[in-house]
Amino acid sequence: QVQLVESGGGLVQAGGSLRLSCTASRSIFSISIMAWYRQTPGKQRELVASISAGGTTNYPASVKGRVTISRDNAKNTVYLQMNSLKPEDTAVYYCNSYDWNSRIGYWGQGTQVTVSS
């Protein structure tokens, strides 16, 4: 089992930056995919960024060029650096882990990001 704890959310003005952190309760070295998702009321959770165990990253078009995901295996932590934030980035951001071998995924409790115009 993996427990994920997000931090770093908050209120920021449009154009500003935030760095979110997701710390796991155990080593993430062998976890296949670590990812960040976000969700707003009434909408489905959507992918923001993902990073494989080998370091391959993936970003949807809506955030590409503005966000960067990274992982520090020594600290069991995944980061999401978000720049040039827009009001439409306002959401609860969730950390996710998924292991291809066990086919088990885990979610964190989420952290609120609010971007004011």
Side-chain angles (χ1 to χ4, degrees):
Q1 190 171 1
V2 180
Q3 292 181 326
L4 303 172
V5 179
E6 301 98 335
S7 61
L11 174 64
V12 64
Q13 288 188 336
S17 298
L18 277 177
R19 189 177 80 156
L20 306 183
S21 300
C22 169
T23 301
S25 59
R26 67 163 181 82
S27 173
I28 63 171
F29 179 80
S30 61
I31 294 179
S32 304
I33 299 287
M34 298 294 299
W36 287 94
Y37 287 76
R38 66 186 180 188
Q39 189 171 27
T40 54
K43 292 188 177 181
Q44 286 190 333
R45 202 167 288 189
E46 64 173 359
L47 177 70
V48 178
S50 66
I51 184 167
S52 70
T56 300
T57 57
N58 180 51
Y59 306 97
S62 59
V63 300
K64 200 167 189 177
R66 299 191 296 118
V67 305
T68 302
I69 188 171
S70 59
R71 59 194 290 168
D72 186 336
N73 291 336
K75 295 183 178 179
N76 300 336
T77 299
V78 177
Y79 303 99
L80 184 70
Q81 177 67 44
M82 302 189 293
N83 301 320
S84 303
L85 284 163
K86 305 175 182 181
E88 51 264 44
D89 294 318
T90 295
V92 178
Y93 283 70
Y94 296 91
C95 182
N96 172 265
S97 70
Y98 185 78
D99 182 72
W100 285 110
N101 292 326
S102 65
R103 300 195 179 189
I104 295 176
Y106 295 96
W107 293 95
Q109 83 288 350
T111 185
Q112 176 72 45
V113 171
T114 303
V115 184
S116 64
S117 57

